[in-house]
Amino acid sequence: MLATGLAVAAVHAAKRGYSWSEIDRLIARGDVKGKLAKEDLPTPALIVELDAFEANVKKMSEHVLGKGRALRPHAKTHKCPEIAMRLIRSGAVGACAAKLSEAEALAAGGVTGLLITTAVVGKNKIERAVAFARKRPETIFSVDNAQNVKDLNDAAGAGKVRLNAAIDLHVGGRTGIVSGAPALALGESIQSMPNLKLAGIQAYAGQASHTVGFEARRRVSREAMAPAVELRQALEQKGIPCPLVTGGSTGTYNIDTDMDGITELQPGSFVFMDIDYNRIGGQSGEVYNDFQNSLFVLTTVVSKPKDEMAIVDGGLKAFSTDRAFPPQWRGGAELPYAFAGDEHGRLSLKGGKQVSVGDRLEFIIPHCDPSVNLYDRLFAVRGEQVEAVWRIAARGLSQ
Ligand SMILES: Cc1ncc(COP(=O)(O)O)c(C=O)c1O
């Protein structure tokens, strides 16, 4: 213990500008609190502000639980076991994972109560799913196809395990079986399989989450989610228990919790927020600010080729580029950012705001999920201090 303490002190005393490997050593030794500050971080770095993050977690948990629904936040946003565990400690029943490999990484970090929201298709993945269910029997797998139901059932039988299956209902633009007779038949098929147990209905309406304007969003979400509630009723009328109807998002959390029959919410982005969500409009204004922006990319001004131009060290590899709008300096509109290649971003100084080479600037991210997937570590900061470094353990795991 003494040797460890001395080693940390030695690293700390040597310099403030740590390399990634020195930071890794600090992390491996445990507590970074008091030893690492924002100024120490090599940039670009992904940071989460704990005060805002904790307020977001508290607000969502209190809202959803207060409405008598379960909360199973989607971990596709953060891919980070530490965050999933914090959400569970604040009342969540578990976490959603987009893919099996994401679920495996979360489970390795201690996360229980996983719902995999896309179907597990193909022999290799199904075998892995069965192995996973043996370790985590409470896991729920989404299915939207009769052959997949049969394949899962056969593999579960061979693996001597019973899999929980949720009907993935097509309520949005992506996967899922269409509502009505096909969905009901799929539910009956799951029910008839000896090695499967019908857990309920998975229904994610992505088109509702980002509908601009609260009233329009309410209309779109209610219309999209109604077939899920009806399917549950139809199954139960046939004597097939269907305990779960899960769906919803950061944009519709306070719409879906007012709908009878939706038992569980699975929002993801609320922990961080991003520009995309800020633009959807809230109940009382143009900016959606039910949740606070907690996620930023910290950059350094590395060049100032002209009076009216500065270059930061975060470009196409530091932010996802799937949105039509660029990252936004958190200080306001005075420093417009434009992508300037893989490693760089260009700031216009025409608005009069001055920056110098070496300055550190933080940017709000256009779209949080794919941006987080670009980083291995998330620095959890309070004020200027780094309180913790969280592994983005499922980064890159999209299988
Ligand atoms: C299946 C599913 N559920 C829930 C979510 C969470 O949505 P949001 O991040 O908008 O809260 C997503 C996001 O894409 C999703 O794909």
Side-chain angles (χ1 to χ4, degrees):
M1 287 303 284
L2 185 61
T4 302
L6 286 174
V8 171
V11 173
H12 185 62
K15 56 178 178 161
R16 300 287 309 192
Y18 298 126
S19 68
W20 279 130
S21 54
E22 286 164 334
I23 287 176
D24 279 343
R25 260 179 276 148
L26 282 175
I27 300 165
R29 289 183 177 116
D31 190 16
V32 296
K33 208 168 168 177
K35 303 182 184 83
L36 206 58
K38 254 203 280 190
E39 62 172 333
D40 298 321
L41 301 180
T43 59
L46 189 67
I47 60 175
V48 60
E49 286 198 345
L50 283 167
D51 289 345
F53 167 84
E54 287 164 2
N56 292 344
V57 169
K58 185 168 184 289
K59 183 167 184 179
M60 183 61 88
S61 309
E62 284 181 359
H63 175 83
V64 175
L65 273 56
K67 291 278 184 178
R69 318 296 166 112
L71 177 64
R72 200 186 308 254
H74 213 307
K76 73 194 287 287
T77 303
H78 53 76
K79 289 176 163 277
C80 174
E82 173 65 32
I83 292 183
M85 293 304 288
R86 281 175 173 242
L87 286 159
I88 288 172
R89 287 199 289 276
S90 114
V93 294
C96 292
K99 301 287 183 70
L100 179 58
S101 61
E102 198 169 274
E104 289 167 340
L106 292 165
V111 181
T112 53
L114 285 156
L115 159 63
I116 302 172
T117 54
T118 54
V120 175
V121 175
K123 191 171 180 300
N124 296 350
K125 281 191 189 168
I126 289 177
E127 277 173 13
R128 261 170 59 195
V130 168
F132 187 71
R134 288 172 72 89
K135 281 188 266 170
R136 293 265 197 253
E138 79 284 4
T139 306
I140 303 171
F141 298 89
S142 300
V143 280
D144 70 356
N145 171 278
Q147 182 61 47
N148 192 222
V149 165
K150 192 175 172 317
D151 293 345
L152 283 174
N153 179 68
D154 293 349
K160 299 196 168 27
V161 67
R162 194 147 184 242
L163 297 185
N164 304 303
I167 303 166
D168 179 15
L169 191 66
H170 185 78
V171 295
R174 296 201 292 240
T175 61
I177 189 151
V178 291
S179 57
L184 193 54
L186 194 74
E188 287 175 309
S189 157
I190 295 170
Q191 177 73 0
S192 71
M193 295 288 167
N195 308 312
L196 300 183
K197 181 168 188 287
L198 182 66
I201 299 163
Q202 157 68 23
Y204 170 65
Q207 78 280 24
S209 63
H210 283 75
T211 298
V212 173
F214 184 77
E215 283 310 322
R217 197 153 63 244
R218 194 208 308 257
R219 268 197 309 280
V220 174
S221 194
R222 290 187 74 90
E223 197 177 312
M225 294 302 282
V229 175
E230 285 159 18
L231 176 60
R232 182 187 194 206
Q233 288 162 352
L235 287 163
E236 292 193 333
Q237 272 162 19
K238 285 187 170 282
I240 302 173
C242 180
L244 188 70
V245 178
T246 178
S249 64
T250 300
T252 63
Y253 78 105
N254 53 354
I255 296 167
D256 303 325
T257 43
D258 279 343
M259 246 181 112
D260 287 342
I262 296 180
T263 66
E264 181 179 288
L265 265 85
Q266 50 179 248
S269 303
F270 70 97
V271 291
F272 295 149
M273 294 299 288
D274 54 25
I275 301 172
D276 206 10
Y277 254 128
N278 291 146
R279 292 161 71 114
I280 68 168
Q283 266 171 298
S284 53
E286 272 187 18
V287 178
Y288 182 65
N289 55 10
D290 286 28
F291 301 94
Q292 301 172 37
N293 288 101
S294 70
L295 189 73
F296 305 93
V297 171
L298 175 68
T299 66
T300 302
V301 177
V302 289
S303 177
K304 223 180 143 190
K306 299 178 187 171
D307 282 349
E308 72 278 13
M309 182 204 286
I311 300 292
V312 291
D313 58 358
L316 300 172
K317 292 178 183 170
F319 303 92
S320 75
T321 57
D322 55 313
R323 292 296 183 261
F325 37 86
Q328 199 177 292
W329 178 49
R330 73 176 294 186
E334 278 174 288
L335 281 181
Y337 172 107
F339 284 111
D342 293 346
E343 279 79 26
H344 297 112
R346 184 185 307 111
L347 303 179
S348 165
L349 307 181
K350 288 185 183 146
K353 170 89 186 148
Q354 282 312 309
V355 298
S356 304
V357 169
D359 284 356
R360 316 268 272 180
L361 299 174
E362 292 170 28
F363 290 86
I364 308 174
I365 289 170
H367 183 193
C368 56
D369 302 35
S371 297
V372 170
N373 197 41
L374 298 168
Y375 292 87
D376 293 316
R377 308 166 183 81
L378 179 56
F379 295 96
V381 305
R382 208 175 303 269
E384 291 307 308
Q385 293 303 310
V386 177
E387 275 199 14
V389 187
W390 297 337
R391 289 274 169 207
I392 304 173
R395 178 256 169 108
L397 295 178
S398 55
Q399 294 74 32

